[in-house]
Amino acid sequence: MHLIVVGGVAAGTKAAARARRINKDLAITLFQDESDVSYTACGQPYFLSGIVEKRESLIIRRAEDFGKEEIQVRLRHRVINLNPDDCSIQVHDLTNDIVDTVHYDRLILATGARALIPSIPGNDLDGVVTLRSMAELDRFRSVLERLNPQQAVIVGGGYIALEVAESLHALGIETTLLVRNKQIFSRLDPEMSQHVETHLLFKGVRIITGDEISEIVEVDGRIAEVVTQSNMRLSAQIVVLAVGALPNVELAERGGIALGPTGAIAVNKRMETNVKWIFAAGDCVESYHRLTQQPVWVPLGDIANLQGRVAGENAAGGSAQFPGVFGTAIFKSFDINVGMTGLTEAAALKAGFNIVATVITARDKARYYPGAHNITLKLVADGKSGRLLGAQAIGSGSVDKITDIAATALLGGLSTFDLENADLAYAPPFSPVLSPIIVAAGALNKKLDKNGSST
Amino acid sequence: MHLIVVGGVAAGTKAAARARRINKDLAITLFQDESDVSYTACGQPYFLSGIVEKRESLIIRRAEDFGKEEIQVRLRHRVINLNPDDCSIQVHDLTNDIVDTVHYDRLILATGARALIPSIPGNDLDGVVTLRSMAELDRFRSVLERLNPQQAVIVGGGYIALEVAESLHALGIETTLLVRNKQIFSRLDPEMSQHVETHLLFKGVRIITGDEISEIVEVDGRIAEVVTQSNMRLSAQIVVLAVGALPNVELAERGGIALGPTGAIAVNKRMETNVKWIFAAGDCVESYHRLTQQPVWVPLGDIANLQGRVAGENAAGGSAQFPGVFGTAIFKSFDINVGMTGLTEAAALKAGFNIVATVITARDKARYYPGAHNITLKLVADGKSGRLLGAQAIGSGSVDKITDIAATALLGGLSTFDLENADLAYAPPFSPVLSPIIVAAGALNKKLDKNGSST
């Protein structure tokens, strides 16, 4: 039995390792078109700023590390065709420029995603960078060193944009965020996003919302400025394109594998595609959202790992399921942490829920204990049952804890009535006597009581 | 309608405030036998060490603050008798030495608990201290200042003992813990408790387990040494008695109120005692343990607040329930945080559960991100269904987060199969790509698979 894994950043390497643990007799080959395998994209912004000092820190396992488990890793091998009829793939060895046909018994597609590049004049200039693969990271670093930019324009307002804003600012580069939407980070409700925007402005980042990049202008082969659709001209020597990503589905499509409504590969809970013996996992697939019960595309490293584990187990003859996602995410930008799980108020309304929502601000530790920070927390719950639907938290302190309590509450289908009496860990160095989530749940319950719901 | 609240540390003040919010027409009187009201006992160790600088930081609300809400607070008023037949109490005004009879329509007992004093020679010497009330804290501080102790013996191995050990050590006092059990902190399984012990030893605290105090010896009116049952002699100029607490139930007993098997006041989920119109909340009552379904006595500040809120709401004519506890707790001692929720392996076995358990050690952040710490995590789950029964976590990092995820999982009745695919918040500054709780859940699921349980 030959298991082939296509792609080896997170989901692919996890799948291969899991398959090996489940089945000692399997032959496993992993094809990776890049020169690096098994690395963390999420850590890249911290390498740019120097918080993470060494490039190799971002590499989780080197290709040769997989030899111990008898997993053959082929770097710089691009899978260019897929023929499910005879269970074969065509592989292009980029180093030796040889194309070969290889047969599989089981196939796992973990082809990932790529940065979206706006089709605008100047998008291929030397100082235009993206962040996702190690090659892109290397180019980003090289641009910083060679061009020594004093001004940057970051196009986009998502995680990567906000994390890179911190990194570039830390390097002394005057940074402007150019965001197409009316708010940065559109996965937050506007009043929560506003707190993030205020913090970044306070830190000295310029933010332009509701405008779009239309051209990158060069002078003598070097970037001089960014022109927006409303004809603003922003001086910059480096332009970071962080406007989103696209799932790499071309190989799957060539093999007749169905995509879902999000444009990513459709899979069931066993991470099986519609084509026999072919699994898919990671940034190239869509997930099932456990609240909206709709497909959703969530290209995040932790989800890729969880899905890779399930795909690897099943491809090796085991039986595992990936039950779906709640859209949990967190990022840090400058001094604030921003966490979210489940649905925002806007998303819940769009999904047809009748909701109640509240925003509170509370300390994350006992008031008198040194280092207590405020957390602003928004909870969204079903307007009748009080079932928690989502949480958004912003602050300098333990936002990650509040987010994970809420994410676990979503997993348990808990209501705000349950949460109001949650038995959480209290001692002054860790929490106020009543956790912010208990306080927020209590505030929502008052609204629910008025709605006439039963406790 | 006259609501009387007896006791005003945590549960009592919370109950009074909640009752006022529910019912504007109620007359509310709170009798407190101490000179302080509404303070945090949990913060006291940090005032001893100087981490919390001002005594008044520990006071949440002063007596006069309650006037705004028209809650009459009577300090130094001890309620000495209770007669439910005519709905009256006898109150001793300690300042003016007057005894008066007062009628109530609703009564909330929040009489708290007191430190247990071992009946041994020397237990009343000047340098013998306890920690619970503000008066005890004041005495503790005064002893430290007047006697300038160089050596301390702390009798006990619970939260207070371990927190005070850190505080005294920070003051340069050579500190010995004398613990009757074979391990410190017996609410942890032995192998977990051992990590705490090792850390304290490493920090320079002497620990004697399996031995008991038998005498405190004075020389010229000052403490000279502690003698143990096995005849060890420990030099000390201060002795901290932290061997546990007793619920203050004498007043309740005088009123014919039933106690439960733990010796604390028995209440239902509405925080009603067996006597009409009389509620009770806080350290004087027992709680329902949601896993063992048995009464348990959990004298902790957060539980007191939750219970006080429910008692206050119901006494004021509302309708609220306190569903019980999972035994969640956390403390910090020196550089480690120790969290627990649900049942230990020992407690689960004792309660008749068939269990699986695992201990893992994992980073609490991405390996490459600065400031990542190891967490040692023990999970206990039902051996058949995989339902989580308990968690114990120890480490320098985000033990509070792991504990609260586990506590919320208990609240949701989640299994380790649910937890293995939990959608938790991942970014390098906050978590490794798979949270330690996901890793531990995965390890338990392998054991469960071998047991033949269904996923």
Side-chain angles (χ1 to χ4, degrees):
Chain A
M1 276 269 277
H2 189 198
L3 168 64
I4 291 180
V5 179
V6 184
V9 178
T13 50
K14 192 78 182 176
R18 183 68 163 196
R20 170 56 72 231
R21 219 164 298 143
I22 297 288
N23 189 330
K24 300 282 169 225
D25 303 323
L26 220 51
I28 305 179
T29 310
L30 187 153
F31 293 109
Q32 163 75 335
D33 57 2
E34 304 172 33
S35 304
D36 294 284
V37 69
S38 188
Y39 59 82
T40 166
C42 311
Q44 292 177 348
Y46 310 103
F47 179 59
L48 289 178
S49 65
I51 288 177
V52 173
E53 289 174 17
K54 296 175 190 165
R55 183 189 191 277
E56 62 253 41
S57 295
L58 303 177
I59 308 293
I60 297 157
R61 301 174 77 188
R62 294 160 306 159
E64 50 267 38
D65 297 334
F66 289 86
K68 296 167 206 158
E69 304 174 12
E70 296 186 40
I71 295 169
Q72 308 303 320
V73 172
R74 303 273 176 262
L75 296 181
R76 294 180 47 73
H77 279 64
R78 182 170 293 153
V79 179
I80 54 174
N81 224 327
L82 163 59
N83 185 358
D85 292 336
D86 66 353
C87 288
S88 73
I89 56 170
Q90 272 189 302
V91 185
H92 184 189
D93 171 350
L94 302 174
T95 307
N96 302 303
D97 198 18
I98 299 168
V99 174
D100 216 346
T101 297
V102 188
H103 286 267
Y104 64 83
D105 297 290
R106 302 287 182 279
L107 182 71
I108 298 175
L109 297 177
T111 45
R114 62 181 180 274
L116 194 64
I117 309 289
S119 308
I120 49 153
N123 66 7
D124 57 351
L125 288 169
D126 183 29
V128 178
V129 295
T130 50
L131 204 53
R132 191 152 202 107
S133 67
M134 291 304 287
E136 285 163 285
L137 177 64
D138 294 339
R139 229 189 110 236
F140 202 140
R141 285 276 288 205
S142 144
V143 162
L144 289 176
E145 279 161 26
R146 281 186 296 110
L147 305 186
N148 190 26
Q150 302 304 303
Q151 294 161 305
V153 169
I154 301 174
V155 188
Y159 313 104
I160 296 176
L162 295 174
E163 288 170 348
V164 169
E166 179 188 351
S167 299
L168 295 186
H169 188 270
L171 296 172
I173 300 171
E174 196 186 309
T175 300
T176 301
L177 276 178
L178 176 60
V179 185
R180 187 173 57 176
N181 293 327
K182 287 207 179 121
Q183 64 178 69
I184 58 169
F185 214 82
S186 46
R187 284 200 50 217
L188 294 172
D189 281 321
E191 79 276 26
M192 297 299 279
S193 162
Q194 187 57 54
H195 293 298
V196 183
E197 199 167 322
T198 302
H199 183 72
L200 264 69
L201 288 171
F202 176 73
K203 286 291 173 180
V205 175
R206 186 177 176 198
I207 302 178
I208 298 162
T209 55
D211 202 352
E212 226 168 316
I213 191 168
S214 66
E215 189 182 352
I216 303 170
V217 179
E218 65 161 325
V219 171
D220 300 332
R222 305 189 81 168
I223 293 176
E225 53 185 17
V226 163
V227 185
T228 75
Q229 288 200 341
S230 71
N231 261 318
M232 283 186 77
R233 307 184 80 88
L234 310 168
S235 293
Q237 298 80 48
I238 181 172
V239 175
V240 184
L241 297 176
V243 294
L246 281 176
N248 293 323
V249 296
E250 292 74 10
L251 178 66
E253 285 187 296
R254 259 171 244 140
I257 291 171
L259 307 185
T262 68
I265 299 171
V267 287
N268 62 18
K269 288 188 180 176
R270 287 175 46 82
M271 307 310 294
E272 292 166 333
T273 68
N274 68 317
V275 174
K276 200 160 187 189
W277 310 133
I278 304 184
F279 301 78
D283 290 358
C284 63
V285 308
E286 59 184 30
S287 297
Y288 172 79
H289 195 294
R290 296 175 76 170
L291 288 168
T292 63
Q293 303 180 10
Q294 295 295 320
V296 62
W297 187 51
V298 182
L300 290 176
D302 55 335
I303 300 302
N305 267 274
L306 293 173
Q307 292 176 336
R309 192 159 64 164
V310 171
E313 178 146 349
N314 291 333
S319 173
Q321 296 208 334
F322 181 67
V325 302
F326 288 103
T328 311
I330 193 165
F331 67 90
K332 173 186 176 297
S333 189
F334 295 91
D335 301 340
I336 55 164
N337 309 324
V338 183
M340 66 217 76
T341 187
L343 304 176
T344 57
E345 181 172 353
L349 291 172
K350 199 176 158 197
F353 287 97
N354 166 25
I355 61 135
V356 287
T358 193
V359 179
I360 65 146
T361 295
R363 298 284 171 104
D364 68 343
K365 291 188 173 80
R367 174 187 45 77
Y368 52 84
Y369 198 87
H373 295 292
N374 275 330
I375 285 185
T376 296
L377 172 63
K378 178 169 186 173
L379 290 188
V380 179
D382 183 88
K384 194 126 191 109
S385 66
R387 180 189 172 199
L388 187 69
L389 294 174
Q392 300 161 67
I394 300 178
S396 300
S398 50
V399 159
D400 56 331
K401 177 166 75 171
I402 297 294
T403 306
D404 277 351
I405 294 171
T408 309
L410 291 176
L411 187 57
L414 296 179
S415 74
T416 50
F417 301 109
D418 297 319
L419 285 173
E420 187 171 6
N421 282 306
D423 187 0
L424 299 173
Y426 161 61
F430 305 103
S431 172
V433 70
L434 296 183
S435 159
I437 203 161
I438 291 179
V439 175
L444 271 189
N445 291 342
K446 276 179 211 153
K447 296 194 183 190
L448 285 161
D449 283 340
K450 281 184 198 146
N451 286 2
S453 65
S454 63
T455 60
Chain B
M1 278 269 278
H2 188 199
L3 168 64
I4 290 181
V5 180
V6 184
V9 178
T13 50
K14 192 78 182 180
R18 183 67 162 197
R20 169 57 69 232
R21 218 162 301 141
I22 297 289
N23 189 330
K24 300 281 168 228
D25 304 323
L26 221 48
I28 305 179
T29 311
L30 188 153
F31 293 109
Q32 162 76 336
D33 57 2
E34 304 171 32
S35 304
D36 294 284
V37 68
S38 189
Y39 59 83
T40 167
C42 311
Q44 293 178 345
Y46 310 103
F47 178 58
L48 289 178
S49 65
I51 289 177
V52 173
E53 288 173 19
K54 295 175 189 163
R55 183 187 189 277
E56 62 252 40
S57 296
L58 302 177
I59 308 293
I60 298 157
R61 302 174 76 188
R62 293 160 306 159
E64 50 267 38
D65 298 333
F66 289 86
K68 297 168 206 156
E69 303 174 11
E70 295 185 43
I71 295 170
Q72 308 304 319
V73 172
R74 302 276 176 259
L75 296 182
R76 293 181 47 74
H77 279 64
R78 183 168 293 153
V79 179
I80 54 174
N81 224 328
L82 163 58
N83 185 0
D85 292 337
D86 66 354
C87 289
S88 74
I89 56 172
Q90 272 190 300
V91 185
H92 183 190
D93 172 350
L94 301 175
T95 306
N96 302 302
D97 198 19
I98 299 169
V99 174
D100 215 347
T101 297
V102 189
H103 287 265
Y104 64 82
D105 297 290
R106 303 286 182 275
L107 182 70
I108 297 175
L109 297 177
T111 46
R114 62 181 179 275
L116 194 63
I117 309 290
S119 308
I120 48 153
N123 66 8
D124 57 350
L125 288 169
D126 182 29
V128 178
V129 295
T130 51
L131 205 53
R132 191 153 203 106
S133 67
M134 292 304 286
E136 285 164 284
L137 177 64
D138 293 339
R139 232 192 106 235
F140 202 140
R141 286 275 289 204
S142 146
V143 161
L144 289 175
E145 279 163 25
R146 284 185 293 111
L147 305 186
N148 191 25
Q150 302 303 303
Q151 293 161 305
V153 169
I154 301 174
V155 189
Y159 312 103
I160 297 177
L162 295 173
E163 288 169 350
V164 169
E166 179 188 351
S167 299
L168 295 187
H169 189 269
L171 296 173
I173 300 171
E174 196 186 309
T175 301
T176 301
L177 277 177
L178 176 60
V179 185
R180 188 173 57 177
N181 293 327
K182 286 207 179 121
Q183 65 177 68
I184 59 169
F185 215 81
S186 46
R187 284 199 51 215
L188 294 171
D189 281 322
E191 80 277 25
M192 298 299 279
S193 162
Q194 187 58 54
H195 292 299
V196 183
E197 200 168 321
T198 302
H199 182 72
L200 264 67
L201 288 172
F202 176 73
K203 285 291 173 179
V205 174
R206 188 177 174 197
I207 301 177
I208 298 163
T209 55
D211 202 353
E212 226 169 314
I213 191 167
S214 66
E215 189 183 352
I216 304 170
V217 178
E218 64 160 327
V219 171
D220 301 333
R222 304 188 83 168
I223 293 177
E225 54 184 16
V226 164
V227 184
T228 75
Q229 288 200 342
S230 71
N231 261 317
M232 284 187 76
R233 306 186 81 89
L234 310 168
S235 293
Q237 298 81 48
I238 181 172
V239 175
V240 184
L241 297 177
V243 294
L246 281 176
N248 293 323
V249 296
E250 291 74 10
L251 178 66
E253 283 187 296
R254 258 171 244 141
I257 292 172
L259 307 184
T262 68
I265 298 171
V267 288
N268 62 17
K269 288 188 179 176
R270 286 175 44 83
M271 306 309 293
E272 292 166 333
T273 68
N274 68 316
V275 175
K276 200 160 187 188
W277 309 133
I278 304 184
F279 302 78
D283 290 358
C284 63
V285 308
E286 58 184 32
S287 297
Y288 172 78
H289 196 294
R290 298 175 76 170
L291 289 168
T292 64
Q293 303 180 11
Q294 296 296 318
V296 63
W297 188 50
V298 181
L300 290 176
D302 54 336
I303 300 301
N305 267 276
L306 293 173
Q307 292 176 335
R309 191 159 63 165
V310 170
E313 178 147 351
N314 291 333
S319 173
Q321 296 208 333
F322 180 67
V325 301
F326 288 103
T328 310
I330 193 164
F331 67 91
K332 171 185 177 299
S333 188
F334 295 91
D335 301 340
I336 54 165
N337 308 325
V338 183
M340 66 217 76
T341 186
L343 304 175
T344 58
E345 181 172 353
L349 291 172
K350 200 176 156 197
F353 287 99
N354 166 26
I355 61 135
V356 288
T358 193
V359 180
I360 66 147
T361 295
R363 298 285 173 102
D364 68 343
K365 292 186 171 82
R367 176 185 45 76
Y368 52 83
Y369 198 85
H373 294 293
N374 274 329
I375 285 185
T376 296
L377 172 63
K378 179 169 186 172
L379 291 187
V380 179
D382 182 88
K384 193 124 192 112
S385 66
R387 182 191 170 197
L388 188 68
L389 293 174
Q392 299 159 67
I394 299 178
S396 301
S398 51
V399 159
D400 57 329
K401 177 166 74 170
I402 297 293
T403 305
D404 277 351
I405 295 170
T408 309
L410 291 176
L411 186 57
L414 296 179
S415 74
T416 50
F417 301 109
D418 297 318
L419 285 173
E420 188 171 4
N421 283 307
D423 187 0
L424 299 174
Y426 161 62
F430 305 103
S431 172
V433 68
L434 296 184
S435 159
I437 204 162
I438 290 179
V439 174
L444 270 190
N445 290 342
K446 277 179 209 153
K447 295 192 184 193
L448 285 161
D449 283 340
K450 281 183 197 148
N451 286 3
S453 65
S454 63
T455 59

